[in-house]
Amino acid sequence: MPDIASQQEPPGDDALMQAWVAGDAAAFETLYRRHRDRLYRFLVRQLRNGALADEVFQDIWQRVIAARAGWTPDALFTTWLYRIAHNRLADHWRAAQHRPPPPEDADLRTARIVDPDSPERRLSEFEQRRQLQLALETLPPEQREVVLLRLEQELTLEEIGEITGVGRETVKSRLRYAMDKLRVLLNP
């Protein structure tokens, strides 16, 4: 059997999962490389704490590894992965009983980001990002999660529904209300 991760045309996630379940370790490495950055950004946005995001990120991949034998191609790999992430985040919030505030040094961290553009442009972009981040933080958790999954992860409404455990229309409603709130907050 040829090594599926080394074929010319990149294989799909489902094919990689099937190869990994069959014992092809390179298939997992390809899946990990393909999804790690977007998943990590999603976690950092949700948790607003890099160290905690690192911990949850590792836990999610450990759960993926532990659950691989039971994986079936009923849903897309991304849907399955983000469902695991959603459940892990729900476990975290349930245990914490509240959403933690942003890190005390969040502004310092943001200020240390090197940008080759002019100081004026850098300030403008920083202000826009900061305004968006502040606006996102005002959204209820369910709406923020839907916005991040839709805009950053580019998932469909159906995929978001599978991940969050709600119907397509509920996802659509949450997204609409969130976008309306963001428009008002960002365009006073």
Side-chain angles (χ1 to χ4, degrees):
M1 178 169 160
D3 182 3
I4 194 162
S6 66
Q7 293 177 352
Q8 289 270 14
E9 186 177 317
D13 291 342
D14 289 350
L16 288 168
M17 270 303 288
Q18 290 171 343
W20 181 42
V21 169
D24 182 358
F28 172 75
E29 292 171 13
T30 302
L31 277 170
Y32 178 75
R33 276 193 310 276
R34 189 177 286 175
H35 296 284
R36 69 179 173 202
D37 292 338
R38 290 173 64 183
L39 176 63
Y40 185 76
R41 281 193 306 271
F42 172 72
L43 294 172
V44 168
R45 290 258 192 196
Q46 287 286 64
L47 296 166
R48 290 175 261 146
N49 178 317
L52 185 56
D54 289 342
E55 178 183 328
V56 172
F57 178 80
Q58 289 179 7
D59 188 51
I60 290 167
W61 283 107
Q62 288 173 345
R63 290 179 187 205
V64 166
I65 291 167
R68 79 175 180 177
W71 178 84
T72 56
D74 297 332
L76 294 174
F77 174 77
T78 52
T79 303
W80 184 67
L81 176 64
Y82 282 92
R83 181 66 184 182
I84 292 171
H86 168 81
N87 290 340
R88 179 59 182 88
L89 286 169
D91 292 344
H92 168 73
W93 297 129
R94 202 174 302 113
Q97 301 270 329
H98 72 286
R99 284 197 175 268
E104 290 182 26
D105 63 344
D107 291 332
L108 291 173
R109 291 180 188 182
T110 305
R112 286 192 301 240
I113 296 173
V114 177
D115 188 3
D117 290 66
S118 70
E120 294 82 14
R121 181 176 176 142
R122 189 169 52 224
L123 180 61
S124 174
E125 289 174 358
F126 170 77
E127 286 300 320
Q128 289 174 355
R129 283 192 309 270
R130 185 71 182 141
Q131 287 175 355
L132 177 59
Q133 184 62 36
L134 291 171
L136 283 169
E137 289 176 9
T138 67
L139 295 176
E142 298 83 13
Q143 290 178 8
R144 181 174 46 248
E145 180 177 37
V146 167
V147 167
L148 292 175
L149 288 170
R150 180 71 178 128
L151 299 180
E152 288 191 350
Q153 307 309 319
E154 300 176 359
L155 298 176
T156 66
L157 298 178
E158 292 79 9
E159 291 170 332
I160 295 169
E162 287 183 46
I163 290 166
T164 59
V166 298
R168 181 186 189 280
E169 292 303 313
T170 302
V171 170
K172 190 174 173 182
S173 175
R174 288 178 181 174
L175 186 58
R176 188 188 73 223
Y177 283 121
M179 295 306 287
D180 288 347
K181 289 177 186 175
L182 290 174
R183 274 188 211 96
V184 168
L185 291 169
L186 296 173
N187 299 311

